[in-house]
Amino acid sequence: MIPISVRFEPRERLSRWTNVWVPFFAIVLALVIAGIVLAVSGHNPITTYQQIIEAAFTQPGAFTQTLVSTTPLLYTGLAASIAFRMRIWNIGAEGQLYLGSIAAAGVGLYLQNLPAPVVVIAMMAGGAVAGSLWAAIPGALRAYLNTNEILTSLFLNYIADYLMYYLIFDSTSFWRDLTSPAARVFPQGKFLPASGNWPALSIGSVTVPLGLILAIVLAGLLWGMIRGTRYGFEMRVMGDAPRAAKHAGMNIRRKILSIMLLSGAVAGLGGASQVGDFRHVLDPRGLEQAQFGYTGIVVAALARYNPISAVVAALGIGVLTNAGLALQGPNFPIGLTGTMEGILLFCVLGSEIFVRYRLRIGRTSGPVAPRRAEAAPGPARTAAEIASTERRELAS
Amino acid sequence: MSGINANLGISIIVSAILYGTPLLFAGLGELFAERSGILNLGVEGMMLMGAVSAFWTSQKMSGPSWLVLLVAVLAGALAGALMSLIHAFLSITLRANQIVSGLTLTIFAGLIGMSSYLGSVLSLGDQAGRHSFSDINLFGLKDVPIVGPILFHESALVYASWLFVILSLVYLYRTRTGLHLRAVGESPRAADAMGVNVTRYRYIHTLLGGALAGVGGAMFTLQIATNWIDGLTAGAGWIAIALVIFAFWRPDLLLVGAYLFGAFLGLGYDLQARGFTAIPTEFWSALPFIMTIVALVVASTGSMRRRLGAPAALGLPYAREEG
Amino acid sequence: MTDATPEAPSLALAARSVTKRFRGVVANDRVDFEVAAGEVHALLGENGAGKTTLCNVLTGLYRPEEGYVEVGGRPVRMHSPHDAHEAGIFMVHQQFRLVQSLSVAENVVLGWSRHGGTWFAPRRVEREVAALAEQYRMDIAPQAKIWQLSVGEQQRVEILKALYRGARILIMDEPTAVLTPQEVDQLVGTLREMARSGSAVVFISHKLPEVLAVSDRITVLRAGRTMGTVGTASTTARELAHMMVGRDVVFAGGPGSHEVGGTVVLELEAVSAESDLGTPALVDVALAVRSGEILGIAGVAGNGQRELAEVIAGERARTAGRVVIDGKTQEGKPWEAIAAGLGYVPEDRMGVGVAPGLSIADNLRLKSYRRNGLILHNKKAMADAEELIRRFDIVARGPRTLARELSGGNLQKLIVGRELSSAAKVLVVSSPTRGLDVGATESVRRLLSESARSGVGGVLISEALGGVFELSDRIAVLYRGRVTGLVDRKDADVDHIGLMMAGQAAA
């Protein structure tokens, strides 16, 4: 028995440097692990990474496509960030985005004869409201009946999915194209006329969708809100210590509900952007396959729930998602996207402990030979930290 | 007339058992993990990995059907356990947030993740299953009215799930390790103080949870669907997690819940098969999820009972206080 | 081991020159400590003197930087409490290590069973535990769940755990703090019984009378060092007090040094409330506090103190009655109480009093952030925080330091300072000095008495009767959720209050 102890010791000071190098090494580690997975499954990792970069940046029109993938992920990433930051686990961005799409398509079709700016703004409003209302269900249940919002918001994704399918595939709804004979055999939605197509900004050869600009503005606003407003202060306190928030006189239930509404509105806007910026139709199959809502959780977690960092994280995951779409086929099956996202997030999550703790490996010292075999290499933490974490977790 | 009704009733129960059994396996697995204090939201991903691994094994392996199926189920269990090992390492050793880690596992292994990747790398998508579990006429009692087709004409997986429920009850309430497990999820500090190795209990039961989820997934590819399509569990893993809550973390109630939700899952297929199309299929598909939300709401209003059922340390990392 | 004679009983447990540091703070400085078999040995010292640290070293929870532990005369090295159990050492912590949802019997056999093996038979274990409890004259139902038990009963379960494992050395950390006098008597009986049968009992306390009544010998710790060991029969309370404190602690202010104003700033009329478990916790409580007055609330823990503080602060719903703060009738919302001028220092500092992951500056504006409208003034908050850090003497690198990085004393200064700086009319303080060292205790007490002098009406809820006597103008006693007595400090008598705390006497 070699007397070696491996344990985590709290860092006495939290340095800003560890905040930089820990995630950096996590990403490098993720690339190495993903490379191994690629190699084992018969792909050359270097070639694959090259292909990803080419498909994302260097090929003609590639960056425009990357931005197309980034836009929805930024919305869902922001939606998850603000909720998760408060330890409200809104897993429902997926369904809230679907509802946003349904509403935006409906509004766009219904108001199609109005001037374009009016239609565009109405679509945004419709998407945000619909997403918000869909999120209100788990929000209210959590706030007033203490029902687990993780599961309710998640099940509502499935329900929203079936609702979308019903509207296009199994009914004669307002959204469905019933005019052409082909559309009766292969059901599809009605396409929006030009008034419902959101304008885009062209910078050189790159097209920046309106939805992306709006999302970046939104990220800035949310960041400012968290940092500089009373509401944001309450968010930070509640996210850190709900009992301290109660002690400070904050209305926790109303806060939970309002944060869910906000989160749902952001996701719903993402759904509106899908219809207005890109698809111009309610496209259940496409939205379902894209899994924007779930991927938004990856974006949020990578960004540590910071809205500004979410812009960067969304771009990174956008690159990966874009590769999945552009390289689709035997060289880059769709499943690789989620696999690589998972590896990346696992590495970043696992590395977080090194920001607050240092790993101590060493011989245990003492004057006397051990009476028993060395036991229990256990990590260390102060009682106060344990207590505060427990409280935080309990309340969520 | 009554004969037809009885037949309908029996066929609903039979399909409830069929669709409920994967929920039961996965739910039991989650129950063990949660009893040890580890919330694993990656059940859906683990089930899909179990499903794809089991299917691949059954397609590749040659030998007598029973042996192939047995090995395939074990392969599914192994795949599920390996997935849960990632979650265990992150949440137990590295003290990562269990909710985020579990969700990551679902993304990593799920619909657009590893299971789909394996399915396409191994080109399983267009293969018809070579082996599948069939119903066994136990003790030759299958033709006994009513109970025969329900209790004595099931697949080996269903019989195994019943055995598992009984074993789980004995394990939890009549063995010392079961007692320690209950203590670890409730108060790791108290258990640690009495010499119970919290870390080891958590690892073992999280892995057991993954293995059982893998078995639940395997049932999809080896009995229910007998082929592989991306995301074929279609939310069963999430329903299993919800079931653990309504079952107040008890295996016996879990059995009841699993069959109830199995019935909801099966109902849509049955009614469609019988040409009942007055209500759109999407409604039937969404029904289990709607009912799960309703059940969650009901369970949360009985908050006192729930508080007594939920392991108090669920979702919390544990580190011994030492100097 | 040499032969044991009656004059020199065999050594059960010893610490040899043990040193233990935390983040540079020396908690134990070359501490020597010896306990003989068959004795009840008191470890006496003020809060923060290093008693608990020493016991954690003795039970394997902490590893000493220097020095070592001997069991039965032989040096041992322990890496976990489990190692200590194997060596026959068992500690009952202030916060019990019990599993709430399990039964008494299940808790007792947790981790180790006489029978070993795979199986767990509840009935057999319950019979064993019942027999053991009877042997030591403990009154307990083995099949009861822990959450159904009173604190005193839970403590008995902890002792049963030790007895079941055949512990030869039992360490009890402040065991009487949570007990009624009757329960204390029963505990003392059990401990004496253990000592008679040859076990060693270490009894940690900072209460002189109780130590004199219970122990055979006493070791005094002060500021992490051993001040000496004396035989109980040959010492006096005066000598012990001197060893313990080393100087006369003078608290600034104190009762009588300030004027009690005329206006009633806090009034409770027939207030009732329930505990978390839904049982009645407060029954018909009526109290009034005038400006400049400190009302002490004495009582054994768990008699409604926590609920009383929370009801006043609006953090707990009341089932009946009225609360009026500075003339404003309360509907029972925390923000309403804050707006009416209530300052509240909760029992739990980390997680309730402060948000640990937020900066000192953010925590200092936790009660006042509403005043500036919807937008925060971050620069002003920084400047305010720097000023408060200076004014309340909080030791920290700066306003951006996270609250979780602060020591207990500085944390409490932050909380008390924050509550006082927000122009409070009424200040409710729960166990303000629990776990603080002597210096921090003094500064917190000084802050409290200064606040009274400046006209704030105070409610001081504490189990430490000494502190209550020191600071209060009047003392109310809570027993089973009722106010069983209300006396002026100058007419108060410790023994009488003690009886009232036990429900044995009226005012």
Side-chain angles (χ1 to χ4, degrees):
Chain A
M1 293 283 168
I2 306 159
I4 283 188
S5 77
V6 181
R7 22 190 236 143
F8 288 106
E9 274 182 7
R11 292 182 190 276
E12 289 181 15
R13 286 176 169 220
L14 311 174
S15 101
R16 300 206 172 265
W17 271 111
T18 46
N19 257 326
V20 176
W21 68 256
V22 167
F24 176 77
F25 278 108
I27 290 169
V28 172
L29 180 67
L31 289 176
V32 172
I33 295 175
I36 294 170
V37 171
L38 285 169
V40 167
S41 58
H43 299 289
N44 182 339
I46 306 293
T47 321
T48 308
Y49 288 154
Q50 251 167 4
Q51 284 175 331
I52 293 176
I53 299 298
E54 279 165 16
F57 300 106
T58 51
Q59 282 167 3
F63 194 60
T64 298
Q65 285 310 307
T66 301
L67 295 186
V68 170
S69 296
T70 301
T71 306
L73 297 180
L74 181 51
Y75 281 105
T76 53
L78 288 173
S81 290
I82 49 177
F84 283 26
R85 190 176 185 113
M86 248 187 70
R87 294 180 178 260
I88 305 299
W89 306 103
N90 178 16
I91 318 297
E94 186 81 28
Q96 291 143 22
L97 181 134
Y98 296 166
L99 264 286
S101 283
I102 294 174
V107 168
L109 289 170
Y110 189 75
L111 302 176
Q112 54 181 280
N113 296 323
L114 294 181
V118 177
V119 178
V120 171
I121 290 171
M123 284 171 73
M124 289 176 181
V129 168
S132 193
L133 288 177
W134 200 245
I137 303 170
L141 289 176
R142 164 67 205 276
Y144 295 98
L145 296 174
N146 208 21
T147 309
N148 182 325
E149 80 280 11
I150 301 175
L151 294 170
T152 50
S153 65
L154 182 112
F155 290 131
L156 284 165
N157 294 343
Y158 286 93
I159 297 169
D161 194 13
Y162 290 121
L163 175 63
M164 249 183 353
Y165 268 81
Y166 171 72
L167 293 177
I168 300 300
F169 290 92
D170 214 13
S171 67
T172 54
S173 76
F174 178 65
W175 284 262
R176 184 171 172 183
D177 182 2
L178 295 163
T179 50
S180 66
R184 284 173 182 274
V185 186
F186 303 102
Q188 63 170 26
K190 282 184 209 156
F191 276 84
L192 270 69
S195 64
N197 296 2
W198 295 8
L201 188 68
S202 284
I203 304 170
S205 61
V206 179
T207 309
V208 184
L210 176 65
L212 182 61
I213 298 168
L214 180 68
I216 292 172
V217 171
L218 205 57
L221 288 175
L222 289 171
W223 180 80
M225 181 193 85
I226 292 169
R227 209 174 162 277
T229 68
R230 205 164 98 171
Y231 188 85
F233 181 71
E234 292 180 344
M235 257 179 87
R236 282 189 283 142
V237 177
M238 279 192 57
D240 189 61
R243 289 175 64 205
K246 190 181 175 194
H247 172 71
M250 298 171 190
N251 186 330
I252 293 184
R253 291 181 165 178
R254 201 184 296 160
K255 198 85 192 159
I256 290 174
L257 182 56
S258 72
I259 217 78
M260 277 298 265
L261 294 177
L262 187 61
S263 175
V266 174
L269 263 178
S273 145
Q274 281 296 302
V275 176
D277 280 319
F278 310 118
R279 299 177 194 264
H280 312 307
V281 64
L282 180 61
D283 174 13
R285 205 158 267 159
L287 289 177
E288 185 198 59
Q289 278 167 1
Q291 302 264 302
F292 292 130
Y294 299 113
T295 312
I297 296 167
V298 180
V299 170
L302 287 178
R304 294 213 192 133
Y305 318 135
N306 178 325
I308 298 292
S309 317
V311 178
V312 181
L315 186 67
I317 299 296
V319 166
L320 212 53
T321 309
N322 175 62
L325 297 171
L327 307 176
Q328 214 161 15
N331 274 335
F332 201 100
I334 188 82
L336 207 47
T337 321
T339 307
M340 291 181 70
E341 285 166 7
I343 292 170
L344 187 59
L345 190 46
F346 277 137
C347 288
V348 170
L349 275 180
S351 73
E352 269 173 24
I353 192 167
F354 296 99
V355 175
R356 279 178 57 192
Y357 299 85
R358 66 174 84 241
L359 191 63
R360 268 288 156 85
I361 304 171
R363 286 175 65 92
T364 49
S365 57
V368 190
R371 197 175 55 86
R372 290 177 71 241
E374 298 292 323
R381 257 167 118 208
T382 66
E385 277 176 296
I386 293 170
S388 73
T389 319
E390 283 181 4
R391 275 187 217 112
R392 249 181 287 152
E393 298 285 351
L394 269 178
S396 60
Chain B
M1 210 39 213
S2 69
I4 293 167
N5 280 342
N7 278 339
L8 181 65
I10 288 169
S11 83
I12 286 175
I13 294 172
V14 167
S15 87
I17 293 175
L18 178 67
Y19 292 102
T21 303
L23 299 179
L24 182 55
F25 274 116
L28 274 179
E30 182 67 10
L31 186 145
F32 282 121
E34 291 192 14
R35 280 284 191 167
S36 80
I38 299 297
L39 175 68
N40 188 349
L41 295 179
V43 180
E44 182 81 1
M46 299 188 298
M47 285 181 87
L48 284 169
M49 283 298 285
V52 76
S53 309
F55 188 62
W56 178 73
T57 310
S58 76
Q59 297 297 84
K60 287 287 166 203
M61 198 180 143
S62 53
S65 202
W66 67 267
L67 184 64
V68 171
L69 287 169
L70 178 67
V71 174
V73 168
L74 291 178
L78 182 67
L82 279 176
M83 290 298 110
S84 67
L85 181 62
I86 303 174
H87 180 66
F89 180 65
L90 278 167
S91 57
I92 302 169
T93 303
L94 297 179
R95 292 177 235 159
N97 182 302
Q98 296 182 13
I99 293 174
V100 183
S101 168
L103 287 169
T104 310
L105 182 56
T106 289
I107 292 165
F108 171 72
L111 180 58
I112 58 163
M114 193 78 149
S115 65
S116 158
Y117 182 58
L118 287 179
S120 91
V121 167
L122 306 171
S123 24
L124 298 175
D126 35 21
Q127 295 184 14
R130 289 173 50 219
H131 302 275
S132 68
F133 279 96
S134 52
D135 295 340
I136 298 166
N137 185 353
L138 194 67
F139 312 128
L141 292 173
K142 144 188 140 133
D143 294 322
V144 175
I146 301 172
V147 291
I150 295 173
L151 293 182
F152 301 106
H153 192 231
E154 298 288 356
S155 75
L157 279 174
V158 173
Y159 293 128
S161 72
W162 293 345
L163 188 64
F164 258 95
V165 172
I166 294 165
L167 287 178
S168 303
L169 285 167
V170 172
Y171 177 67
L172 271 179
Y173 300 107
R174 284 293 181 274
T175 68
R176 297 205 312 122
T177 30
L179 171 65
H180 296 170
L181 174 64
R182 286 185 284 146
V184 165
E186 199 61 37
S187 171
R189 210 150 79 107
D192 186 22
M194 303 318 291
V196 177
N197 188 330
V198 174
T199 303
R200 186 185 299 159
Y201 268 81
R202 290 192 159 176
Y203 262 98
I204 288 174
H205 291 94
T206 307
L207 289 178
L208 177 62
L212 286 171
V215 173
M219 186 163 170
F220 275 94
T221 43
L222 298 181
Q223 184 175 354
I224 294 175
T226 66
N227 62 352
W228 166 255
I229 27 172
D230 283 1
L232 91 167
T233 49
W238 290 102
I239 296 180
I241 296 171
L243 279 177
V244 178
I245 299 178
F246 327 138
F248 302 110
W249 290 264
R250 282 173 46 184
D252 44 350
L253 295 179
L254 189 74
L255 178 88
V256 178
Y259 290 163
L260 185 64
F261 280 85
F264 287 127
L265 286 171
L267 205 58
Y269 298 100
D270 271 14
L271 290 172
Q272 276 170 56
R274 283 161 197 269
F276 180 79
T277 52
I279 295 171
T281 52
E282 284 82 7
F283 175 78
W284 295 113
S285 305
L287 184 65
F289 300 105
I290 298 171
M291 292 316 294
T292 320
I293 293 176
V294 171
L296 277 171
V297 172
V298 171
S300 59
T301 50
S303 58
M304 197 61 214
R305 276 191 70 195
R306 205 189 58 158
R307 217 174 296 154
L308 296 178
L314 183 59
L316 307 178
Y318 175 70
R320 181 185 292 159
E321 176 194 354
E322 51 181 48
Chain C
M1 284 271 311
T2 50
D3 51 331
T5 65
E7 287 77 30
S10 70
L11 192 62
L13 177 67
R16 301 289 183 208
S17 195
V18 162
T19 298
K20 177 73 200 167
R21 298 185 192 88
F22 293 101
R23 295 192 182 190
V25 178
V26 185
N28 280 174
D29 186 3
R30 283 160 289 156
V31 167
D32 287 303
F33 180 53
E34 284 187 355
V35 187
E39 74 167 337
V40 175
H41 194 127
L43 190 53
L44 182 69
E46 289 211 304
N47 286 329
K51 305 181 300 263
T52 303
T53 302
L54 176 60
C55 289
N56 284 336
V57 169
L58 292 174
T59 52
L61 197 60
Y62 296 160
R63 276 161 248 185
E65 268 98 40
E66 289 155 39
Y68 57 96
V69 175
E70 279 181 14
V71 178
R74 284 177 307 144
V76 293
R77 209 163 84 203
M78 296 177 287
H79 294 101
S80 72
H82 191 55
D83 291 355
H85 295 170
E86 302 238 318
I89 307 167
F90 200 94
M91 177 158 175
V92 178
H93 295 264
Q94 275 176 286
Q95 277 157 357
F96 302 142
R97 310 286 207 258
L98 294 172
V99 185
Q100 295 289 319
S101 66
L102 297 187
S103 73
V104 171
E106 285 171 328
N107 269 282
V108 169
V109 298
L110 188 62
W112 186 85
S113 159
R114 280 180 190 172
H115 312 283
T118 309
W119 305 106
F120 166 67
R123 296 285 163 269
R124 184 176 66 182
V125 171
E126 280 163 17
R127 276 197 303 276
E128 278 173 10
V129 172
L132 192 64
E134 191 155 334
Q135 186 189 336
Y136 285 90
R137 275 165 272 168
M138 279 189 251
D139 180 20
I140 195 116
Q143 69 281 3
K145 300 267 192 264
I146 299 299
W147 60 267
Q148 299 170 314
L149 303 182
S150 74
V151 180
E153 288 171 315
Q154 294 189 15
Q155 190 181 59
R156 278 171 233 159
V157 181
E158 284 282 20
I159 298 172
L160 277 173
K161 277 159 70 173
L163 293 172
Y164 184 79
R165 282 164 179 72
R168 304 300 294 157
I169 301 155
L170 181 69
I171 303 175
M172 309 246 353
D173 191 2
E174 304 266 1
T176 58
V178 292
L179 300 183
T180 65
Q182 290 80 356
E183 285 173 326
V184 171
D185 289 345
Q186 206 187 353
L187 172 69
V188 169
T190 305
L191 297 184
R192 282 262 146 246
E193 180 65 40
M194 286 186 71
R196 232 193 321 278
S197 64
S199 295
V201 177
V202 178
F203 185 97
I204 305 176
S205 180
H206 62 258
K207 298 175 187 164
L208 286 175
E210 152 187 311
V211 160
L212 286 167
V214 173
S215 63
D216 300 307
R217 287 197 298 161
I218 301 166
T219 295
V220 181
L221 280 187
R222 188 211 306 163
R225 295 183 186 197
T226 320
M227 289 294 116
T229 301
V230 292
T232 307
S234 60
T235 187
T236 61
R238 199 183 171 77
E239 186 194 0
L240 288 174
H242 188 75
M243 286 170 75
M244 203 164 107
V245 184
R247 67 195 157 95
D248 295 326
V249 179
V250 181
F251 294 111
S257 64
H258 57 269
E259 291 289 308
V260 172
T263 41
V264 172
V265 286
L266 171 70
E267 201 174 1
L268 275 71
E269 286 174 17
V271 168
S272 298
E274 289 179 347
S275 72
D276 289 337
L277 291 172
T279 54
L282 290 178
V283 186
D284 269 343
V285 171
L287 291 169
V289 181
R290 285 167 296 164
S291 69
E293 172 191 46
I294 295 181
L295 173 68
I297 307 284
V300 177
N303 275 283
Q305 290 95 327
R306 174 187 285 269
E307 288 83 359
L308 177 66
E310 289 177 353
V311 161
I312 298 173
E315 291 178 20
R316 178 178 295 273
R318 48 178 195 270
T319 49
R322 225 160 75 95
V323 175
V324 184
I325 297 172
D326 195 30
K328 295 171 212 71
T329 305
Q330 301 291 305
E331 283 187 34
K333 298 272 181 287
W335 59 265
E336 191 192 10
I338 295 167
L342 178 87
Y344 172 33
V345 178
E347 199 176 340
D348 296 326
R349 286 158 215 156
M350 205 66 97
V352 180
V354 299
L358 265 53
S359 66
I360 293 183
D362 277 341
N363 274 299
L364 279 170
R365 62 176 162 181
L366 205 53
K367 294 290 182 72
S368 55
Y369 72 96
R370 284 183 192 78
R371 286 184 197 156
N372 296 323
L374 293 176
I375 303 296
L376 294 176
H377 297 267
N378 288 330
K379 277 214 183 97
K380 188 172 169 296
M382 280 295 158
D384 290 352
E386 301 221 10
E387 201 228 302
L388 289 175
I389 288 172
R390 264 197 306 278
R391 197 168 120 204
F392 295 108
D393 192 26
I394 300 165
V395 181
R397 274 179 289 139
R400 287 178 204 278
T401 306
L402 301 185
R404 79 157 73 84
E405 297 176 65
L406 293 179
S407 71
N410 283 305
L411 201 60
Q412 189 68 317
K413 282 189 268 182
L414 185 159
I415 297 169
V416 175
R418 174 185 72 206
E419 301 301 319
L420 289 176
S421 67
S422 61
K425 298 273 179 21
V426 184
L427 187 64
V428 175
V429 204
S430 257
S431 305
T433 58
R434 180 189 283 171
L436 301 190
D437 60 29
V438 180
T441 300
E442 257 181 274
S443 20
V444 167
R445 287 187 181 172
R446 190 178 301 117
L447 281 176
L448 294 179
S449 72
E450 276 170 11
S451 78
R453 226 171 305 153
S454 67
V456 174
V459 178
L460 169 64
I461 300 173
S462 176
E463 292 146 33
L465 211 47
V468 172
F469 263 81
E470 201 114 31
L471 290 166
S472 311
D473 300 289
R474 287 185 302 149
I475 298 169
V477 179
L478 265 187
Y479 175 71
R480 294 202 174 159
R482 289 174 193 273
V483 175
T484 50
L486 184 58
V487 290
D488 260 23
R489 156 74 181 84
K490 43 189 184 297
D491 310 327
D493 164 74
V494 179
D495 294 336
H496 187 62
I497 297 231
L499 284 172
M500 285 197 289
M501 283 164 63
Q504 298 296 300

